[in-house]
Amino acid sequence: MNPFSDIKTIREALRTKKISVQEVQQVYVDRFKKFDDKIGSALEIFSNPDVPQNSDGPLYGIPGLIKDNICQKGRIASCSSKILKNFVAPYDATAVERFKAAGAYSLGRANCDEFAMGSSTETSAYQLTRNPWDLERVPGGSSGGTAASVAAGLIPWSFGSETGGSVRQPAAFCGVVGLKVTYGLISRYGLIAYASSLDSIGICARTVYDTALVLSQVTGPDGKDSTALHDVKKIDYTAQLTGKIRPGMKIGIIENAFNAEGIDTGVRTVLDEGVKALEKLGAKIQFIKIPTMDHGAAVYFMISRAEAASNLSRFDGVRYGYRSNNGEDLVDLYENSRAEGFGHEVKRRIMIGNYVLSAGHADAYYKSAKIVQELMRQEFLDAFKEVDLLFMPTTPCPAFKFGAFKDNPLQMDLQDYFTAPINLAGLPAISVPCGFVDGMPIGMQLIGPHQSEELLLQTAHAYEQAHDWHTKYPEWLK
Amino acid sequence: MSRIKISPDEAEKLASEIAAVLSYASSLQEIARSAHVSGEKKTCMNVMREDVVETFDAQLILAQAPEREGDYFVVPKIVKHE
């Protein structure tokens, strides 16, 4: 079996009994053994995965890799942090429960930035994940293990999570499809919180079809997450994937993003080709401005850090997780456990969050950010009165080298420019491979109005099928 | 406030990094002041449901405690002796 097969192909081989579920499992377990010491995408490959015995579920026998901040019952969920090193999830996340019910299973845990905070997976307390296309480069982040494992043909699909672009950016850097859904389309129950008003579980796969296949099984209302959309019907997201785009489709290029300073010229050329290709498929192209997007990263920094400070206050060394042995009283226990358990990036974000929420500063920072967030959301909604989908780069550059932003963390944070505004507006977006610059994959980003996943996937699929980017993989991983 | 002990070296590094982020975000106040945003988002609503009792095995949760005594979490003394 070709490990780079898409789920559609594997599923057909399973259905016609050309291959067994156990054989599929073995193929990917062997792939991890053979290649993952070089890539480092997985924190753990289960020796005893919960492989379904029999199922008529649509994902029967298809293994996935789950980001380490998503709870899998009886498994460690460490968020790639020392503070949760030994934390065993007492329940399945709703999305995990759902893919299991559809016959799929998890083969292990994907490495990520600590508590999903980062754009390169370098903040993981455990290991680096390397970009399968060039081991000297980062896979992106925070869902670096998610994207790298799929790109390397170690797994057919993988769950990541998004707060400001953490699925789309690594998907673009690694040359796979990355989907961020409408806020609330997939339940957040069991996704360990970073910034709850922005967080969502996302999917990486080799093709748009595969992404749609997995998505179809994991959406829907959830009594355990009151922010999960309650009016969502179960949809087969593959039904619209005809290879054609909807007649009369209008796509708006976000002009200020497309012409933003600092976009790599190679990336720009590849994206220009992408626009032409969409036009060739029948889309009408027009330019749209989302002026407040230029402040999107700043808004994102304020809101995400504020929510993180609040969410991460629960890690105190008392009930679970890491406890420091230093200190004498309870306050020492809190302060030392957190000092020794959290990495630098997480500490930095918690402190920023507490600062911007503190009396005397909340108006200037947090509340201002909430107002600009609302302005931005409104600009996006206005844009969708004129066009069906929006278009812009996923990243300004190809995957960068390790340590590139070591001395300038703010520049690293600005990786979020093209992605975070979408989380702030709660919109769905997809990153699709659209070419290469110097041997590194590039992603283009399509964005839709709330709950437009069908249209988004249909359009991305039509583009994908007109090209062969999704069939490419690094030679050494054959 | 963050309940994280930091060393003087760490404090210096964090101070300059945090200052850079805050300065980057300082433009937001100006934009927000001149903005006309009409109150709360109308799309938000409460989602209510009846409570459903679900039981967890308490031992499963307690087993994760760094230190316990029976069914209790153990913490260091809370009051300092003078």
Side-chain angles (χ1 to χ4, degrees):
Chain A
M1 188 194 118
N2 175 3
F4 292 96
S5 302
D6 56 10
I7 299 176
K8 198 179 174 186
T9 309
I10 304 169
R11 205 169 64 149
E12 191 54 23
L14 281 167
R15 200 185 58 81
T16 55
K17 305 219 183 306
K18 287 197 180 101
I19 192 164
S20 73
V21 168
Q22 285 68 31
E23 283 167 327
V24 172
Q25 181 192 349
Q26 203 53 53
V27 167
Y28 291 109
V29 169
D30 290 347
R31 294 280 296 174
F32 273 105
K33 271 193 195 134
K34 189 167 174 195
F35 295 112
D36 210 39
D37 57 337
K38 292 200 182 67
I39 297 169
S41 65
L43 288 171
E44 181 185 359
I45 293 299
F46 301 144
S47 54
N48 56 342
D50 307 318
V51 185
Q53 288 311 306
N54 197 8
S55 161
D56 50 9
L59 294 175
Y60 175 49
I62 311 290
L65 193 72
I66 308 305
K67 187 175 179 178
D68 199 35
N69 62 350
I70 299 171
C71 288
Q72 309 184 62
K73 189 176 180 175
R75 310 286 186 184
I76 286 173
S78 81
C79 294
S80 293
S81 177
K82 202 174 146 191
I83 211 163
L84 286 177
K85 188 176 179 185
N86 298 315
F87 174 69
V88 177
Y91 55 81
D92 271 332
T94 299
V96 170
E97 221 168 58
R98 287 184 178 158
F99 74 64
K100 282 185 177 172
Y105 65 97
S106 164
L107 208 55
R109 304 187 284 123
N111 191 30
C112 58
D113 279 301
E114 186 179 3
F115 281 101
M117 297 178 184
S119 304
S120 63
T121 313
E122 288 169 289
T123 72
S124 166
Y126 299 107
Q127 65 195 38
L128 288 179
T129 297
R130 297 176 180 279
N131 193 308
W133 292 92
D134 177 354
L135 298 176
E136 297 299 308
R137 289 172 192 269
V138 302
S142 64
S143 311
T146 295
S149 58
V150 175
L154 308 184
I155 202 81
W157 65 275
S158 183
F159 263 173
S161 71
E162 275 253 1
T163 305
S166 280
V167 168
R168 286 164 288 156
Q169 187 254 21
F173 277 4
C174 291
V176 295
V177 176
L179 175 70
K180 184 248 170 239
V181 296
T182 305
Y183 181 76
L185 185 67
I186 301 177
S187 164
R188 287 186 298 113
Y189 182 72
L191 167 64
I192 298 175
Y194 160 18
S196 311
S197 77
L198 309 171
D199 290 344
S200 79
I201 289 176
I203 301 164
C204 270
R206 302 193 59 76
T207 65
V208 174
Y209 187 96
D210 285 359
T211 307
L213 209 53
V214 176
L215 177 66
S216 304
Q217 301 308 320
V218 297
T219 62
D222 182 7
K224 290 170 177 158
D225 173 8
S226 62
T227 63
L229 295 168
H230 62 281
D231 54 354
V232 175
K233 292 193 182 65
K234 201 164 157 49
I235 294 176
D236 175 3
Y237 289 97
T238 64
Q240 302 296 320
L241 306 184
T242 56
K244 295 196 171 67
I245 66 168
R246 201 170 72 187
M249 162 86 88
K250 280 191 247 170
I251 296 180
I253 296 173
I254 305 179
E255 203 177 343
N256 45 312
F258 207 59
N259 295 325
E261 223 177 283
I263 295 189
D264 179 280
T265 51
V267 172
R268 179 58 200 261
T269 309
V270 165
L271 286 165
D272 283 335
E273 291 298 320
V275 174
K276 277 185 213 151
L278 289 167
E279 219 167 0
K280 208 169 148 198
L281 286 164
K284 289 192 184 68
I285 305 290
Q286 69 185 76
F287 284 89
I288 293 253
K289 278 201 177 85
I290 312 275
T292 53
M293 225 195 87
D294 295 344
H295 307 285
V299 173
Y300 171 68
F301 295 161
M302 297 300 103
I303 294 174
S304 64
R305 275 57 167 170
E307 292 186 28
S310 167
N311 275 324
L312 272 66
S313 63
R314 72 186 58 150
F315 303 109
D316 56 9
V318 173
R319 293 150 298 147
Y320 53 87
Y322 177 81
R323 173 183 286 198
S324 171
N325 290 319
N326 303 318
E328 299 192 341
D329 61 13
L330 190 60
V331 173
D332 285 346
L333 173 79
Y334 295 151
E335 294 189 345
N336 289 323
S337 297
R338 289 163 68 78
E340 295 162 27
F342 288 137
H344 182 77
E345 180 67 25
V346 174
K347 291 179 192 171
R348 187 164 75 93
R349 295 197 188 192
I350 291 174
M351 288 180 197
I352 294 171
N354 279 323
Y355 184 89
V356 303
L357 285 176
S358 60
H361 301 293
D363 281 336
Y365 293 106
Y366 179 72
K367 286 183 188 163
S368 298
K370 289 301 283 181
I371 292 171
V372 181
Q373 175 188 26
E374 184 53 25
L375 289 176
M376 193 184 320
R377 213 178 75 92
Q378 207 50 56
E379 280 180 15
F380 275 108
L381 295 184
D382 288 345
F384 289 123
K385 287 176 189 154
E386 287 184 50
V387 296
D388 301 297
L389 296 179
L390 290 165
F391 176 99
M392 67 172 155
T394 310
T395 66
C397 56
F400 47 87
K401 296 204 165 164
F402 287 99
F405 299 114
K406 194 161 60 77
D407 299 323
N408 195 344
L410 184 60
Q411 281 307 311
M412 170 84 93
D413 289 347
L414 290 173
Q415 283 285 317
D416 303 328
Y417 174 87
F418 297 102
T419 48
I422 309 309
N423 301 67
L424 290 164
L427 301 167
I430 191 167
S431 178
V432 189
C434 69
F436 288 83
V437 171
D438 300 330
M440 296 306 292
I442 304 298
M444 66 182 204
Q445 184 176 200
L446 289 164
I447 302 124
H450 295 112
Q451 290 182 260
S452 66
E453 277 80 356
E454 279 180 287
L455 185 65
L456 205 55
L457 289 160
Q458 181 186 23
T459 311
H461 177 259
Y463 170 82
E464 176 193 77
Q465 292 305 304
H467 300 80
D468 64 352
W469 309 121
H470 61 291
T471 65
K472 308 228 183 272
Y473 52 84
E475 275 295 307
W476 71 279
L477 287 160
K478 231 175 204 168
Chain B
M1 194 158 46
S2 298
R3 291 271 196 235
I4 300 173
K5 202 162 274 176
I6 48 171
S7 67
D9 279 359
E10 220 177 345
E12 202 178 313
K13 189 172 177 211
L14 282 163
S16 78
E17 287 174 3
I18 292 171
V21 173
L22 293 175
S23 132
Y24 181 77
S26 62
S27 60
L28 296 176
Q29 201 176 359
E30 193 61 37
I31 305 163
R33 202 179 291 133
S34 54
H36 304 283
V37 178
S38 50
E40 276 289 291
K41 288 178 223 171
K42 292 161 207 82
T43 50
C44 290
M45 65 185 91
N46 282 325
V47 179
M48 311 293 268
R49 64 164 171 81
E50 291 302 312
D51 286 340
V52 185
V53 178
E54 260 188 66
T55 48
F56 262 121
D57 179 1
Q59 292 309 316
L60 204 70
I61 310 288
L62 281 162
Q64 313 245 7
E67 203 183 338
R68 62 185 275 209
E69 211 175 282
D71 286 352
Y72 297 94
F73 297 109
V74 175
V75 293
K77 61 177 180 254
I78 291 171
V79 184
K80 267 185 185 152
H81 291 288
E82 284 303 317

